[in-house]
Every structure is written in structure tokens, then in C-alpha cells.
Amino acid sequence: MHMSARRAAAFTGTPAYIAKTVAVASLTAAAAVTLTLQGNLAGNIAECDATASVNKMTKVSTKPDISALDISVLDDTNVPMRKRMETYVKLLQRRLVDDIEAEENAGRTSHEPKHFTVESWTRKEGGEGTSCVIQDGEVFEKGGINVSVVYGNLPPSAIRQMSADHGGLTERVGYKIEGRDAEVDGLPFFATGISVVIHPKNPMGPTAHFNYRYFELMHPKTLKDGSPNPRYKKDEPVAWWFGGGADLTPMYLFPDDAKHFHEIHKAAADSQDAAFFPAWKRWCDNYFWLTHRGESRGIGGVFFDDLTLPSWTSNKATFIPLVDGSKNTDRQLVSAKQHDKESLFRAVRAMGDAFIPAYLPLVHKHKYDKFTSQNLEWQHLRRGRYVEFNLVYDRGTKFGLMTPGARIESILMSLPLFARWEYMEGTTGTGRQNSTAASMNDIDNQKKYPEEEMRARAAIQDVLEHPQDWLA
Amino acid sequence: MHMSARRAAAFTGTPAYIAKTVAVASLTAAAAVTLTLQGNLAGNIAECDATASVNKMTKVSTKPDISALDISVLDDTNVPMRKRMETYVKLLQRRLVDDIEAEENAGRTSHEPKHFTVESWTRKEGGEGTSCVIQDGEVFEKGGINVSVVYGNLPPSAIRQMSADHGGLTERVGYKIEGRDAEVDGLPFFATGISVVIHPKNPMGPTAHFNYRYFELMHPKTLKDGSPNPRYKKDEPVAWWFGGGADLTPMYLFPDDAKHFHEIHKAAADSQDAAFFPAWKRWCDNYFWLTHRGESRGIGGVFFDDLTLPSWTSNKATFIPLVDGSKNTDRQLVSAKQHDKESLFRAVRAMGDAFIPAYLPLVHKHKYDKFTSQNLEWQHLRRGRYVEFNLVYDRGTKFGLMTPGARIESILMSLPLFARWEYMEGTTGTGRQNSTAASMNDIDNQKKYPEEEMRARAAIQDVLEHPQDWLA
């Protein structure tokens, strides 16, 4: 029988955990992967991270270090967008860590303040990231704030796959990327983003998620045969786009909260282009849909991908083409505004800046709300659905998990501390309309829970099954 | 703003749950799908169940009804295998329900005995099933025992997909199934199986899962042009196979339990063919592997698919070709025994019969074990990994969830009542060898938990990361 070192230790009297702790002292490798990049973007990049097996040792602190950042680049159009977006997401990460920590510790009963665990990593092939996690606080059950900056070579197979999801990319790329007469051996890429999931402890407080990212595909300096690439120009990408969004998942419905979250995001979007919000809200409702449950993960927000200029898309539109994630849309969504890369970056920053005022007041508002063990049970049931969405549907999570060498714990920090699944639960059971068992459970629930609780559960369940506009 | 009936009720003073309960009285439809069929089999069958939208009302009892079953068909070689396997899995379902209920109620402190919720459904296109679930008992946290019998037409696209996973199926089928000159418009199929997941309450008691199934693809009576099919013979399939397995997932390692579970299954397999167990044990370890975690879901058992006669496979082997789920195997696994369909059915029955003696004694042994809240916390962490496997990897679950009209609650009855996720947990954190945060958490754990607990956690974690033979 095979005996690993740890197992042998466990069986021979040396506590395995002591051996393990000693081993930690000689850390030499930290697996790292782009974990803030949602969607197919993450998938494709994750693929080329497959060889990211040896990385630098991690370090731990309580705040992400922003001392090396130059804030002036944010508005400096002479600085490459890569650097500006990286600076933006790192500053936003730090702001969030500061604000969440302050919310956690304001009025905290434990005399020791609660801090984030902040771990940084670097990627051998190029790039780095910082994962900030707060867990088991008095206000926050679990919160993760990830930033990553990743670059390297995107292999032909990944470019092909990415083209399938990002229309017109192949034509845009122009190069012959595969076959015997391939001109290039993949293309350099760059990606940076911030990804956040926050689960408050109080069941009246809503869970929130947001993610903003920037992606670039670049011309290689030399072609496959070693000759200089005539198309190469420093800082001029082959393609680029922004993506992101923010969405709210309450356990109990407070319509004013839903309105507030949407209002703040709508105001931010409208400040840049009135065409953005209607498309992005709808895309959000379409994306966070649990098909097998026939319900939404949450009550909406905004979601977008492929945000780039018309001149960088294949359809040669005059204005930015907007989509809403519908499979068959009979509406043509268009922006009527002339954008440039600056205005799109401003839009992304406006959206990123909107999250704190859109969300943290809701945590604050509910952090001292009274709750019962029944409320907690319901919270755990709804958390279970969150787990289902993230593991079954979320593109970023799925592709991340399939990536050898990915930093799994950063990807899965989105999962709650607690989750619960009941068979044919009376209010949430899928297909309960056709199940006598579910109707019996519903009657049981009516005996167990006060009418107010049953009404509150039905109210949120109903809007999850029938997504609302909130601002209509 | 759109207002559904329930939501409107919730806002106008009529409790939504009362309206819902009334609606239950006029049940007319029950979604149904094959939920006991694991793997690609389930996927393919699930696909053709997509139109199974209207089905008969469900009924609820505490025991599956076996009064209509004719036990003599089990050994009657003149009866089609379909009927014999269906009879077998239904009898096994009833035995399990009886035995688990007895184990739950022997020594139960609550004066009301605990029963299963048993719900039957029928499928409009052909077939039926029964889902038995026990939840929140004193011995069993959650247990589901599903049986289904499903038949209908397997469309060309599903046959093509099935061929990719079941080598040689296309050649075996023989028909031109796609294109303008297709001879048939799909093929009739039949599938029946039992699928079981049991989570005991006591953290010292192991979770177990098993599933046995039979699949047939048949010649249609008429060809696509309406003419009689010259190849059609009653009860003679185009292809058929058995599949299944049983596996154990302890939260704490009791090597004697692991040995017992394997010994009983090995004895059952050896009674039929000594070549079975080695291949099926390895296949089990390969199948239940969480790649992203670098650990197994449990400590092993048996797993097999495509169990059919050599004459029904494409490679024209003399003996049954055995595989172990390895991607690149340098060993040739062969049975040296001449089998017929009877001997394979005997083998499947022997394996199915092995589950109760292999597993229930372990539940019984641990049901009164003392445990702490720390043990429960660990149980919930490990349950979280079970959720990850089932939602991310399990082929049956994945395909089931993607099937419109599937009976989702039956598919997801495998999920535990409670689950927990901690970021970079000291013992289980993925990539913890390279994480200072994990090593800090490990040191925290050492302060929080007694050495015995730390040692016990490390012991099970270690064998999950390094699968063992147990009988070597």
C-alpha cells in the first residue's frame, strides 16, 4: 500500500500537521492564474496559464500595498491603457478593503479588530495578483476581493476558441494563426481585472458580486520564422475590450434596496451613455439565470462584455453595438454616441466607482437587523443556489477550475461559508407546482414558520423567478 | 413592472403560500426525466427527454409499491432483460428503503417514527420513476433512492454523441442515421436504473453512493420511408450494456471501514469474475477525482460502464475488454472468462446486492459515536467537496441539469443538507503548500483543535489526496 509522507507521519506518531508546518518554511512555488477575469476571457487565458506551475512565494498582510502606484496615470492618455486599468483596479481593491474593514470593525463587539487576509502571488510567465479575503466576521460572513495582472502568449487554439465567443476576432487578428503556413505562434495578450464577492452575515443583508476587466491581444514583435513583424507597433493592440458588471443577491426582498442598487448603477452608466444601462441590466438578468431552477441568482444589476469601439468590431457599425445577452433579440440596441477609448475607460471607472455607494449602504443598513434561526436557515438555502450558479454556470469559475495550476482557493472564495439543500423545499423546490411532496413541505412550513416569514420567503422567491426592472 | 400572480398576492395581503397550496389541488403536470442513469448515458437520454413537459400527477407515500412486481422474472431467461433489470432495481430500492428506515427508527428518540417521502411520476413519452427521500432524521441527514424506467426515441444527434463515448457504437448500429439518405429517424431506446446517495448525520459515519443501470438501443420496426425494417426482430437490441458502481466518502478515516466496504464489493465481483474488481476499483478512483482540488471525492469502491459481451463491441475481442478509466493505460485489462448476458446480469445483481452489507453496517457502527461541534464543522467542509464534485464533474448530474424538463429535485437530492467552504483552510486548502495564509490557518487550527482532531483530519485528507487500495 502506498504511504505518502504525511500519511506515514500520521500513522507513526509524528503529527502530520507539524511536518506540514515545517515544510511551509521552504516555500518555493505558488500556483497562480488569472482569477479575476470572468467569462470566456478567463477561460482562454486560463488555458495558456496551464504551464504556470512554478511561481514565487506568497506573502501575507492585511492590506493590499498601493505604495508603488502612480495615481496620475489614471487620467494620462499617454500612458498605455494596460497600466491605467491595472492602477485603477488596484486602487479600487484597496478602497474596498478599507471600507469593508471599517464597516466590519465599526461597532464590533470582539475587542480584537477583524482584518483581511491579503496574499500576493507572482506568475512565472508574467504577471501577479493579490487575493484579499475576510471570513467569519461579525458583519461579513465571507468576502473576497481579487486583483490580477496577467500577460503572456495566447496559443493558436486559445485564439480560435476566443474568436468563437468574441465575434469578428479572427478577421480582426488577420494573421494566419494555424496550420503549416501559420505566420505567428500565438499572440501576446494582457489582462487585468478586479473580482469581488461579498456575503454579509445578517440574512437581511444582500450578497453582492462585481467584476471589471480589460483585455488586450497584441502584435508579436517577430513572426514565426523569426523575421520582424511589419504590423508590430508598440502599444498598438490587435484587439481590446472591457467587460464587467455588478449584481445583487438578497435573501429577503427589500424593494428599496433593489432600487437603490440599480439607481446608483444606472446613474453611473447614464453619465456616460444612456444606451448602456438598459442593455446591461437585461444582460445581467440573462447571464445570472439558473436554467435548471427556473430562477435568477439575484435580483439584477449590470453585466457587459466585449465593450470596444466600432472600428475594432467586425460589423463596422458607426456606433458601439450593444447586446443584452438574449439569444434571439428582435430589438437592435445601439448607442447613439460617438465613443473613443477614453470614454469607454471613463464608463468602466464610473461603473467600478458606483459599487461602493450602491452596495455598502445596504450592508450598513441591515447589519444590526434582528434575525431568527429560521432566517438563517433560509439564508443557507439561498446560499446553496449561489453555489449552484457559481459551480454549474459561471463561466469564469468553470474555466478557472479546468485550468491546471489555477489558484483554486481564489476562484472559490466566491462560495459562502454555509449552504443548505432541502429536497422539494416548500417555497423553493424546483417543479414544486407538480410535486405533492413539495406541497406537503409547504404545509409543514406554514405550521413551522410565522405567516410573516412565509410571506417574506415567497416575495423574494417570486422576483427571482420573475426578474424585475426595479426602476420602471 | 411585471407582477406575477404570486407576487401580486404577496403585495395585496393574500398570503402567497395559501394561493400556492390551493393551486396544488389542480395538479396536471409533473416533469420527469431519467435521473438514475449516470454518465453519458444519462446525458444522451436526457436529451431526448427534452420534450417530456407534460406528465401525470405525482402521488406520495412512505414506501415504493412493489405489489405489482413478479419476482420470478429475475431468473427467467425467457423474459426480456429490460423487464428483469427493472424488476431487480425496484426490489433493491424497496429493500434499501426498508433497511434504512429500520436503521433510522431503531433507537430513535423522537416518539414519531421517521419515514421516507416517496414520490412516483410517469413520463408522457414512455416510462416512470419513483424518488424516495429521507431528510433530517436522527441517523440519516439526507438519503435519496431513485429508480427510473425510461424509453422512447433516441434522435440521431444523441446517437452520434453517445457513439463518441461508447466506442464502436456507430459501427454496431449499422444504419445510416444522419443526412438526406438516413435510413432511420433515430432509434428506440430503453433505460432503467437505481441511483442512491446517503449522508448519515454522525460525522463518523461515511457517505455512500451507488448506481446500477441497464441500457438498450433497439431496431425500429419501420424505416424512415415507412417500409418494414428487415433487421427488426422483437427483443433483439442493436446494442446494450450495464453500468454502475458504489463508492464510499468518509469524513474521518476508519481504515477498517474502508477495508470492509472494498472487501464486500470485491467478494461480490470475484464471485463472477476475478478480473472485474481490479479494473473497477481503479476506474472508481479515476472517476471520482476532483482535478481542481487534487483529491478524490471519497476513498474508492467500484465503478464501471459499457459492460457488454465481446460480440457487441467493435474490437471483436474473445473476452470482455475491461477498462479502468485511465487515459493512457499501459496495461491490457482482460477477463479470461467466457461470459454471456446472463452472467453479466448476475454480476450486476451481485454488485447491487453487495451494497447493503457493505455499507449499512458502517452507518450502524457509527450512529451513536460521540462527536463535537468541531467534528460537525469538518463534516460540513467535506460535504462542500461532495457538492463540488457533483456539480462540477459528475456526468449524470451535469447532463441532468442541462435537460429541459428534468426532475431537478431528484437529480440534486444527492446534495447534503449542510455544506461549508473556508478560504485556504489549513488542512484542506488547495495549493496550501504554497500559501502563507493556509499555513497561518493551519497554525490557528492547531490552537483551536486538539491534536487528536488535527491528526484525524490530516489522515483522511491524506488518503483522499493519495488513493489507496485498502486490500493490498
Side-chain angles (χ1 to χ4, degrees):
Chain A
M1 186 187 288
H2 164 81
M3 271 265 196
S4 76
R6 276 184 58 204
R7 184 157 189 267
F11 276 77
T12 54
T14 309
Y17 59 91
I18 288 175
K20 190 160 50 114
T21 307
V22 172
V24 167
S26 60
L27 287 173
T28 54
V33 75
T34 167
L35 30 97
T36 66
L37 302 160
Q38 203 170 19
N40 298 302
L41 175 53
N44 289 299
I45 293 182
E47 278 196 2
C48 49
D49 270 3
T51 54
S53 52
V54 181
N55 296 278
K56 266 216 207 129
M57 177 161 69
T58 62
K59 57 178 181 175
V60 165
S61 61
T62 62
K63 291 279 176 105
D65 182 9
I66 54 166
S67 61
L69 296 181
D70 176 4
I71 296 177
S72 71
V73 305
L74 289 181
D75 297 312
D76 187 343
T77 56
N78 293 318
V79 173
M81 186 56 74
R82 295 192 288 280
K83 193 73 202 161
R84 297 168 72 193
M85 184 67 174
E86 175 193 329
T87 303
Y88 175 69
V89 297
K90 286 181 170 175
L91 289 168
L92 182 54
Q93 180 184 45
R94 175 59 186 257
R95 258 198 288 161
L96 255 168
V97 166
D98 288 343
D99 289 357
I100 287 177
E101 200 188 274
E103 190 62 59
E104 171 68 32
N105 291 314
R108 186 172 160 88
T109 57
S110 167
H111 69 266
E112 268 196 52
K114 184 87 183 171
H115 296 296
F116 273 83
T117 299
V118 175
E119 196 158 18
S120 296
W121 43 266
T122 57
R123 180 176 175 273
K124 194 185 164 198
E125 292 80 357
E128 35 102 15
T130 300
S131 294
C132 310
V133 176
I134 191 166
Q135 190 169 275
D136 219 0
E138 293 181 5
V139 178
F140 296 96
E141 176 186 299
K142 203 167 172 188
I145 306 172
N146 286 332
V147 151
S148 71
V149 187
V150 179
Y151 43 91
N153 186 58
L154 199 66
S157 62
I159 298 172
R160 180 169 21 90
Q161 199 187 314
M162 188 175 265
S163 298
D165 297 311
H166 297 268
L169 183 62
T170 317
E171 302 90 84
R172 183 77 220 166
V173 166
Y175 298 98
K176 176 106 178 80
I177 59 165
E178 288 184 291
R180 286 191 180 179
D181 53 344
E183 295 166 82
V184 292
D185 194 15
L187 295 175
F189 79 93
F190 171 93
T192 188
I194 180 168
S195 180
V196 174
V197 177
I198 299 164
H199 298 288
K201 198 150 197 164
N202 194 301
M204 304 302 151
T207 287
H209 155 260
F210 86 87
N211 159 261
Y212 292 100
R213 55 192 184 268
Y214 173 70
F215 181 80
E216 263 186 21
L217 208 55
M218 285 163 287
H219 294 281
K221 278 191 189 172
T222 55
L223 298 176
K224 202 176 179 181
D225 61 10
S227 63
N229 179 3
R231 281 187 267 187
Y232 173 77
K233 271 189 204 166
K234 193 171 181 300
D235 298 333
E236 183 154 310
V238 175
W240 58 268
W241 59 83
F242 295 97
D247 63 286
L248 195 73
T249 306
M251 317 295 122
Y252 289 96
L253 180 61
F254 296 92
D256 286 348
D257 293 1
K259 277 179 201 152
H260 172 82
F261 190 81
H262 281 79
E263 266 164 9
I264 300 283
H265 280 101
K266 181 176 189 298
D270 286 356
S271 75
Q272 305 300 316
D273 188 332
F276 284 158
F277 183 80
W280 294 352
K281 157 65 178 164
R282 214 173 295 266
W283 200 343
C284 182
D285 286 337
N286 283 322
Y287 180 78
F288 291 104
W289 186 251
L290 281 94
T291 307
H292 69 277
R293 292 291 193 180
E295 63 186 46
S296 184
R297 184 177 83 172
I299 54 88
V302 288
F303 184 92
F304 62 91
D305 203 354
D306 298 318
L307 185 65
T308 190
L309 293 176
S311 56
W312 294 87
T313 62
S314 59
N315 69 0
K316 314 291 177 207
T318 308
F319 299 108
I320 293 185
L322 294 171
V323 288
D324 66 1
S326 305
K327 271 178 187 148
N328 299 306
T329 178
D330 50 1
R331 286 160 300 123
Q332 276 288 43
L333 298 167
V334 281
S335 157
K337 197 177 156 181
Q338 281 301 358
H339 282 278
D340 54 22
K341 199 166 182 176
E342 279 307 307
S343 72
L344 294 185
F345 181 47
R346 270 199 305 274
V348 169
R349 284 168 63 185
M351 299 311 288
D353 291 346
F355 181 77
I356 291 177
Y359 177 63
L360 284 192
L362 306 182
V363 176
H364 182 80
K365 174 183 165 190
H366 294 290
K367 75 180 195 174
Y368 296 128
D369 281 3
K370 280 187 190 155
F371 62 88
T372 65
S373 61
Q374 295 170 353
N375 298 146
L376 272 183
E377 216 172 71
W378 175 253
Q379 183 194 46
H380 297 163
L381 274 174
R382 297 247 48 97
R383 295 262 202 268
R385 301 298 166 90
Y386 208 86
V387 170
E388 284 179 33
F389 183 86
N390 288 18
L391 294 182
V392 176
Y393 296 100
D394 189 67
R395 293 182 295 174
T397 306
K398 278 170 70 176
F399 285 111
L401 295 186
M402 284 173 204
T403 306
R407 195 170 192 273
I408 296 300
E409 293 282 334
S410 295
I411 295 166
L412 295 183
M413 61 149 214
S414 65
L415 302 181
L417 205 48
F418 306 104
R420 179 182 176 91
W421 282 268
E422 287 180 33
Y423 173 70
M424 276 297 174
E425 197 273 330
T427 306
T428 61
T430 299
R432 64 189 178 278
Q433 295 79 359
N434 305 316
S435 162
T436 314
S439 104
M440 285 163 60
N441 289 335
D442 189 40
I443 291 164
D444 280 353
N445 285 350
Q446 291 172 40
K447 289 181 198 154
K448 268 197 293 185
Y449 305 130
E451 188 180 314
E452 192 190 14
E453 174 69 15
M454 292 297 289
R455 191 192 293 263
R457 291 184 177 194
I460 183 69
Q461 184 67 28
D462 188 63
V463 299
L464 294 175
E465 293 177 15
H466 307 96
Q468 307 290 314
D469 282 339
W470 301 116
L471 303 180
Chain B
M1 185 186 290
H2 164 82
M3 271 264 196
S4 75
R6 276 183 58 206
R7 183 156 189 270
F11 276 76
T12 54
T14 310
Y17 58 92
I18 288 177
K20 190 160 49 119
T21 307
V22 172
V24 167
S26 60
L27 288 171
T28 54
V33 76
T34 170
L35 30 98
T36 67
L37 303 159
Q38 204 170 19
N40 298 301
L41 174 55
N44 289 299
I45 294 183
E47 280 198 358
C48 48
D49 270 3
T51 54
S53 52
V54 180
N55 297 276
K56 264 214 207 133
M57 178 163 69
T58 61
K59 56 178 181 174
V60 165
S61 60
T62 62
K63 291 280 174 102
D65 182 9
I66 54 167
S67 60
L69 297 180
D70 176 4
I71 296 177
S72 70
V73 304
L74 289 181
D75 297 314
D76 187 344
T77 55
N78 292 318
V79 173
M81 185 56 75
R82 294 193 288 280
K83 192 73 201 162
R84 297 168 71 194
M85 184 66 174
E86 174 192 330
T87 303
Y88 175 70
V89 297
K90 286 183 171 175
L91 289 168
L92 182 55
Q93 180 185 44
R94 175 59 186 256
R95 259 200 287 161
L96 255 169
V97 166
D98 287 343
D99 290 358
I100 287 176
E101 199 188 274
E103 190 62 60
E104 171 68 32
N105 291 313
R108 186 172 160 87
T109 57
S110 168
H111 70 265
E112 267 196 53
K114 184 86 181 174
H115 297 295
F116 273 85
T117 300
V118 175
E119 195 157 19
S120 297
W121 44 265
T122 58
R123 181 176 174 274
K124 193 184 164 199
E125 292 80 357
E128 36 102 17
T130 301
S131 294
C132 311
V133 176
I134 192 167
Q135 189 169 275
D136 219 359
E138 292 182 4
V139 179
F140 297 96
E141 176 185 301
K142 202 167 174 190
I145 307 173
N146 286 332
V147 151
S148 69
V149 187
V150 179
Y151 43 91
N153 185 62
L154 200 66
S157 62
I159 298 172
R160 179 168 23 89
Q161 198 186 317
M162 188 175 265
S163 299
D165 297 311
H166 297 268
L169 183 62
T170 316
E171 302 92 84
R172 182 78 221 167
V173 166
Y175 299 97
K176 177 103 177 79
I177 58 164
E178 288 184 291
R180 285 191 181 180
D181 52 345
E183 296 165 82
V184 292
D185 194 14
L187 294 174
F189 79 93
F190 172 93
T192 188
I194 180 169
S195 179
V196 175
V197 177
I198 299 164
H199 298 288
K201 197 149 197 164
N202 195 301
M204 304 301 152
T207 287
H209 155 259
F210 87 87
N211 161 259
Y212 293 100
R213 56 192 184 267
Y214 173 70
F215 181 80
E216 264 184 20
L217 209 53
M218 285 163 287
H219 295 283
K221 279 190 188 172
T222 55
L223 297 176
K224 202 176 179 181
D225 60 11
S227 63
N229 179 4
R231 281 186 268 185
Y232 173 76
K233 271 187 205 166
K234 196 172 179 300
D235 297 333
E236 185 154 308
V238 174
W240 58 267
W241 59 82
F242 294 98
D247 63 286
L248 195 74
T249 305
M251 316 296 121
Y252 289 96
L253 180 62
F254 297 92
D256 287 348
D257 293 0
K259 278 180 199 148
H260 172 82
F261 189 82
H262 281 81
E263 265 163 10
I264 300 283
H265 280 101
K266 181 177 190 298
D270 286 356
S271 74
Q272 306 300 315
D273 189 331
F276 285 158
F277 183 80
W280 293 352
K281 158 66 177 164
R282 214 173 293 266
W283 200 342
C284 182
D285 286 339
N286 283 322
Y287 180 77
F288 291 103
W289 186 251
L290 281 94
T291 308
H292 69 276
R293 291 292 191 179
E295 65 186 45
S296 184
R297 184 178 81 173
I299 55 88
V302 287
F303 184 92
F304 61 90
D305 204 354
D306 297 319
L307 184 65
T308 191
L309 294 176
S311 57
W312 293 87
T313 63
S314 59
N315 68 0
K316 314 293 175 205
T318 308
F319 299 107
I320 292 185
L322 296 170
V323 289
D324 66 2
S326 305
K327 272 183 188 144
N328 300 306
T329 178
D330 49 1
R331 285 158 301 124
Q332 276 290 44
L333 297 168
V334 280
S335 157
K337 197 175 154 181
Q338 280 302 358
H339 281 280
D340 55 20
K341 198 166 182 175
E342 278 307 307
S343 73
L344 294 185
F345 182 44
R346 272 198 305 275
V348 170
R349 284 168 61 185
M351 299 311 288
D353 291 347
F355 180 77
I356 291 176
Y359 177 62
L360 284 192
L362 306 181
V363 175
H364 182 80
K365 176 182 163 190
H366 294 292
K367 74 179 195 175
Y368 296 128
D369 282 2
K370 280 186 191 157
F371 61 88
T372 65
S373 62
Q374 294 171 353
N375 297 146
L376 272 184
E377 216 172 72
W378 175 252
Q379 182 193 47
H380 296 164
L381 273 174
R382 297 248 46 97
R383 295 262 202 268
R385 301 298 167 92
Y386 208 86
V387 171
E388 284 181 32
F389 182 86
N390 287 19
L391 294 183
V392 177
Y393 296 100
D394 189 66
R395 292 183 294 174
T397 306
K398 279 169 69 177
F399 284 111
L401 295 187
M402 284 172 204
T403 306
R407 195 171 192 275
I408 295 302
E409 292 283 331
S410 295
I411 296 165
L412 295 183
M413 60 150 215
S414 65
L415 302 181
L417 205 48
F418 305 104
R420 181 180 174 91
W421 282 269
E422 286 180 33
Y423 174 71
M424 275 297 176
E425 197 275 330
T427 306
T428 60
T430 299
R432 63 188 177 278
Q433 295 78 2
N434 306 317
S435 162
T436 314
S439 105
M440 284 165 59
N441 288 336
D442 189 40
I443 291 165
D444 279 352
N445 285 350
Q446 292 171 41
K447 288 180 201 156
K448 267 197 294 185
Y449 305 131
E451 188 179 315
E452 191 190 15
E453 174 68 15
M454 291 297 290
R455 190 191 293 264
R457 292 183 178 195
I460 183 69
Q461 184 66 29
D462 188 62
V463 298
L464 294 176
E465 292 177 15
H466 307 95
Q468 306 290 314
D469 282 339
W470 301 116
L471 304 180

